[in-house]
Amino acid sequence: MASAHAFFAQDEGTTFNLEYAWRLLKDEPKWMGESIGNSSKVTKTSASGASSANSDTPSSYEFNSSSPMEHPMGQKAAKRKGKAKEIPNATQDARNKRAATMERLAQSKEDELELKAMQIIMKDTSTMSDSQRDIHEKYCNKMKKKYGL
């Protein structure tokens, strides 16, 4: 670590005072570079500052397209990805909720009609005339067949 500090001070002319940040970020994929074993660092070979690149690795200025550096997804990209998944599911959920609501509404209307039919069947016929009683009896027989009573 001391040699790294000395190297930084020699290149930049100041001391490296962000060691706390370096310790936090050194293991993050974004800051690790292509790979530790396949380093393309230019090394100094003499005190005069002449440098040479490793002959088996590309120079630090060349772009290696075979192994691109992977980095974490950004906030906006993650948000877009999340919304893309939610939209089809949200519309399908809305359709399912609407269908369930329509089924419940139809069932409640059917129950209401059955209740009205039962009220008509149970109606007191003692105060009805003979013609009203005949019509009531025909209607009651029709409702009994419809509801299986």
Side-chain angles (χ1 to χ4, degrees), residues 73-80:
M73 184 183 296
Q75 184 178 10
K76 289 181 181 179
K79 191 173 184 180
R80 278 192 298 264

Side-chain angles (χ1 to χ4, degrees), residues 5 30 42 49 58 65 101 126 131-132 141:
H5 281 286
K30 183 175 181 178
V42 176
S65 63
T101 304
S126 63
S131 63
Q132 287 176 331
N141 289 335

Side-chain angles (χ1 to χ4, degrees), residues 125-137:
T125 59
S126 63
T127 58
M128 292 183 187
S129 66
D130 289 337
S131 63
Q132 287 176 331
R133 216 174 292 135
D134 288 339
I135 293 171
H136 181 264
E137 189 175 333

Side-chain angles (χ1 to χ4, degrees), residues 60-110:
S60 62
Y61 300 108
E62 293 178 12
F63 178 73
N64 187 358
S65 63
S66 63
S67 62
M69 186 170 84
E70 293 183 25
H71 53 77
M73 184 183 296
Q75 184 178 10
K76 289 181 181 179
K79 191 173 184 180
R80 278 192 298 264
K81 184 178 178 183
K83 282 186 177 182
K85 288 181 182 177
E86 289 177 14
I87 291 171
N89 292 339
T91 56
Q92 187 61 35
D93 289 345
R95 287 181 188 146
N96 291 343
K97 286 180 182 177
R98 182 180 170 102
T101 304
M102 295 299 282
E103 287 177 19
R104 280 183 281 164
L105 180 62
Q107 182 63 39
S108 66
K109 284 185 179 183
E110 183 68 28

Side-chain angles (χ1 to χ4, degrees), residues 21-22 24-36 67-75:
W22 176 80
L24 290 172
L25 298 173
K26 69 178 180 170
D27 296 326
E28 293 293 321
K30 183 175 181 178
W31 306 109
M32 288 183 69
E34 291 180 27
S35 69
I36 294 172
S67 62
M69 186 170 84
E70 293 183 25
H71 53 77
M73 184 183 296
Q75 184 178 10

